[in-house]
Amino acid sequence: MARNGVFSRRWRAEKLEEFDKLCPSLVSDEVHVLAVDDSFVDRKVIERLLKITSCKVTTVDSGSRALQFLGLDEQESSVQFDALKVDMIITDYCMPGMTGYELLKKIKGSSFKEIPVVIMSSENVLARIDSCLEEGAEDFLLKPVKLSDVKRLKDYMFSEDRSRTEAKGMNKRKLPETSSNDPSTPTILPLTSIDTASTPSSEFCSSPSSPIAFSSLLSADSSSNSSMPSSPDSPTRRVKMSNQNL
Amino acid sequence: MEVVQLQRSFVECMASLFREGLLDAQFSQLQQLQDDSNPDFVVEVVSLFFEDSERLLNDLTMALDQPNVDFKQVDAHVHQLKGSSSSVGAQRVKNCCVLFRNCCEEQNTEACLQCLQQIKQEHLLVKNKLQTLFELEQQIVAAGGAIPMVQ
């Protein structure tokens, strides 16, 4: 609504170009993971681990960059071209500035709350694990992360999920009747999608009928539901503990 | 040098890295992530690690050189070093970091300085040995040989 003016044709064309350079295949069934870690080494490793399990990966070095990427930061420029559909967020716990826990809370209090968030930590602290799971983390991985961890994660999160499969195409939309139990990600369409069918909007996860409406989705979500607890049956409560050396 | 000799040296170098505890299973994990589409993955990660860790060691040296040591800062650096050494499988460096953090907790400058010395030695040791390993690898490839798999 208010942000429609930002989407001038030239702006879009430029952004699409940049976008294409970064992510040449917009239309993809690949799982897209946003990995957040302040360590170069760990970013490189997690990126490889995810790529080798056939995920598309975007790495960022901080929680604030992650929020920026998702379009959740408070600046006007937050309507980013690169808010490509994110299927999962995997974040380090200990980071300067915003910790992984704080990032988790922010995400769970946003329109992206359905995106599974996995926390990684080098410290096997039960209280830490508990509080992350309480806040809705999908899983908690102990560092150093291994290939088997990532494979397992991908398997249980993305293989049996039929609504996610449905949601993966360009015209993904959250089904109007779905409750918060639906594990599909909020629908943020890539800019090149031109969806001419209109759908009834459900909460803040309505599928925009055009890229312009995409911005209104973001402007609508900014202050909503900051402390919505996840329902007992929601996927975020399905606790699957990783193989910890307990 | 003959390929077979190079390969033997490579195997021995790799074996000793593990035997002496310089590397642990995480390094093997990294090796698993390397393939034809990413033939230099291990070298790249390890190089990143050495760049990162050298910077951290310098920061640590400076931090401990202050009249009023900021142990929180020192601990933060060590924590980072511990994380990255753990991620590449540099076991002995990582273990030193664990001890180092204890010294930080006790706010014992002297002990911290000793830990730093120890870490620098371990760091140099694993760096040199890995450099040798990578050089051997290059030589083997240049001579048309295959890199032996070391379990």
Side-chain angles (χ1 to χ4, degrees), chain A:
Chain A
M1 289 135 190
R3 300 196 193 204
N4 282 359
V6 177
F7 285 85
S8 71
R9 210 160 264 201
R10 207 185 101 202
W11 182 91
R12 265 193 63 207
E14 278 169 7
K15 291 304 169 192
L16 286 176
E17 240 179 76
E18 285 173 62
F19 195 28
D20 269 359
K21 276 188 237 153
L22 290 178
C23 326
S25 55
L26 282 180
V27 185
S28 164
D29 277 346
E30 276 184 317
V31 170
H32 180 206
V33 183
L34 177 63
V36 191
D37 202 314
D38 61 317
S39 154
F40 285 124
V41 173
D42 288 351
R43 277 203 301 281
K44 187 151 178 95
V45 174
I46 195 72
E47 180 188 50
R48 184 76 189 122
L49 284 170
L50 289 165
K51 281 193 168 154
I52 232 181
T53 45
S54 312
C55 295
K56 221 203 307 256
V57 191
T58 301
T59 57
V60 293
D61 63 1
S62 69
S64 45
R65 283 235 210 278
L67 293 177
Q68 239 175 14
F69 184 82
L70 293 168
L72 285 175
D73 65 343
E74 275 113 36
Q75 289 147 37
E76 267 304 304
S77 59
S78 72
V79 183
Q80 296 289 356
F81 65 92
D82 49 6
L84 175 66
K85 174 202 78 158
V86 170
D87 296 302
M88 180 171 85
I89 297 168
I90 184 163
T91 176
D92 188 24
Y93 185 93
C94 275
M95 294 188 291
M98 192 188 301
T99 65
Y101 178 72
E102 285 159 359
L103 177 61
L104 167 69
K105 284 206 290 189
K106 286 208 149 87
I107 290 167
K108 291 302 167 184
S110 75
S111 63
F112 291 90
K113 68 184 176 76
E114 295 298 331
I115 301 184
V117 181
V118 173
I119 310 280
M120 304 180 281
S121 175
S122 55
E123 263 132 35
N124 191 1
V125 177
L126 207 52
R128 176 181 293 188
I129 297 169
D130 278 347
S131 55
C132 288
L133 295 173
E134 274 297 307
E135 275 308 317
E138 192 70 25
D139 204 337
F140 189 100
L141 298 181
L142 213 47
K143 279 181 160 184
V145 180
K146 295 185 272 297
L147 191 54
S148 54
D149 294 328
V150 178
K151 276 187 172 157
R152 184 184 53 81
L153 211 59
K154 196 189 180 208
D155 282 344
Y156 86 69
M157 281 211 263
F158 300 104
S159 55
E160 344 134 323
D161 198 329
R162 54 174 167 71
S163 50
R164 184 174 305 284
T165 325
E166 265 176 57
K168 268 188 211 162
M170 270 175 106
N171 296 331
K172 13 185 255 323
R173 53 191 91 264
K174 196 169 167 94
L175 303 173
E177 298 85 333
T178 50
S179 63
S180 58
N181 289 345
D182 194 310
S184 62
T185 56
T187 51
I188 304 290
L189 294 181
L191 281 180
T192 56
S193 75
I194 310 243
D195 174 12
T196 50
S198 62
T199 44
S201 54
S202 85
E203 297 178 66
F204 31 67
C205 295
S206 62
S207 154
S209 57
S210 76
I212 292 173
F214 154 72
S215 64
S216 67
L217 176 82
L218 293 177
S219 51
D221 74 10
S222 51
S223 55
S224 56
N225 302 311
S226 51
S227 53
M228 200 193 262
S230 42
S231 75
D233 299 329
S234 81
T236 54
R237 304 300 286 175
R238 267 192 278 108
V239 170
K240 304 218 178 176
M241 301 290 276
S242 65
N243 55 325
Q244 293 160 24
N245 312 325
L246 291 168

Side-chain angles (χ1 to χ4, degrees), chain B residues 62-110:
Chain B
M62 287 200 309
L64 286 170
D65 205 25
Q66 301 302 311
N68 289 320
V69 177
D70 181 351
F71 286 100
K72 243 182 136 187
Q73 183 63 282
V74 174
D75 185 67
H77 290 317
V78 180
H79 173 82
Q80 272 193 289
L81 185 57
K82 175 172 159 263
S84 52
S85 56
S86 156
S87 293
V88 301
Q91 187 174 241
R92 278 171 33 178
V93 174
K94 180 193 72 177
N95 291 342
C96 284
C97 290
V98 177
L99 296 172
F100 200 147
R101 293 191 83 189
N102 293 338
C103 301
C104 287
E105 244 181 279
E106 293 163 19
Q107 308 219 341
N108 185 339
T109 309
E110 205 42 59

